[in-house]
């Protein structure tokens, strides 16, 4: 006579996926500069290790005890996904230390040095031009008609947006 066993849900792969996502988000929180800068990398590492343990546990349950824990396909997909996210989290954590230090970058509150960059139309625009301190009529015109409106007050600040990549 065969013994009927009660089937139980295999929650380990789901927990592994949630822990792996939490580990990745904690790495993102570190780069956003949230408080607890010394704790966040260790938290991300602990979450990644826990995710890897639960992913392996979920896969072992699904394949070693299929009569108790069903869902070989879903456990495999979730386990592999958790392993990939955990691996990505470890990779970004290890290789983030390879980034060079920005020793010459302006600090918060410090005035930016004068520079000249191309705007979205390809015209050369300097910071002095935008603040109304430079020669408004050189090399490509002035932004937003600053040369024609000489009586307008110069702006106090400039917002720079840098687009990474190529489109």
């Amino acid at each position: 006579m065969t013994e009927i066993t009660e089937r139980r849900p295999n929650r380990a792969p789901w927990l592994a996926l949630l822990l792996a996502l939490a580990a990745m988000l904690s790495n993102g929180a570190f780069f956003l500069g949230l408080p607890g800068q010394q704790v966040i990398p260790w938290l991300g590492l602990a979450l990644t290790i826990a995710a890897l343990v639960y992913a392996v546990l979920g896969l072992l349950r699904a394949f070693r005890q299929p009569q108790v824990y069903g869902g070989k396909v879903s456990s495999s997909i979730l386990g592999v996904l958790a392993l990939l996210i955990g691996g990505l989290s470890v990779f970004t954590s290890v290789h983030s230390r390879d980034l060079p230090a920005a020793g010459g970058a302006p600090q918060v509150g410090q005035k930016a040095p004068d520079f000249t960059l191309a705007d979205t139309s390809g015209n050369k625009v300097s910071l002095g031009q935008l603040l109304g301190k430079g020669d408004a009529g050189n090399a490509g015109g002035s932004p937003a008609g600053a040369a024609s409106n000489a009586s307008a007050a110069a702006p106090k600040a400039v917002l720079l947006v840098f687009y990474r990549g190529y489109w």
Side-chain angles (χ1 to χ4, degrees):
M1 181 184 230
T2 60
E3 187 177 313
I4 299 175
T5 58
E6 183 181 335
R7 294 189 57 106
R8 292 184 271 177
N10 192 0
R11 292 190 177 104
W14 286 102
L15 187 57
L17 183 63
L18 290 175
L19 288 170
L21 289 173
M24 184 177 270
L25 290 175
S26 74
N27 284 338
F30 176 75
F31 288 109
L32 291 176
L34 296 178
Q37 293 291 324
Q38 291 78 20
V39 177
I40 291 177
W42 293 108
L43 175 66
L45 181 63
L47 288 171
T48 301
I49 291 171
L52 295 177
V53 167
Y54 277 107
V56 170
L57 178 68
L59 289 172
L60 289 176
R61 279 183 178 176
F63 286 96
R64 285 192 178 167
Q65 300 172 339
Q67 67 279 6
V68 178
Y69 299 103
K72 285 184 183 180
V73 174
S74 63
S75 295
S76 298
I77 291 171
L78 292 172
V80 168
L81 193 58
L83 290 172
L84 288 174
I85 293 172
L88 179 64
S89 180
V90 168
F91 179 79
T92 57
S93 179
V94 168
H95 287 289
S96 66
R97 290 164 178 53
D98 297 340
L99 295 173
Q107 300 299 318
V108 174
Q110 180 182 357
K111 290 188 178 188
D114 195 26
F115 57 86
T116 302
L117 294 172
D119 64 5
T120 55
S121 303
N123 299 324
K124 298 286 184 180
V125 180
S126 70
L127 180 62
Q129 257 183 312
L130 294 173
L131 293 173
K133 297 176 184 174
D135 179 19
N138 68 355
S142 61
S148 63
N149 193 1
S151 63
K156 293 182 180 180
V158 173
L159 174 66
L160 298 175
V161 179
F162 293 94
Y163 295 105
R164 289 183 60 183
Y166 299 94
W167 286 274

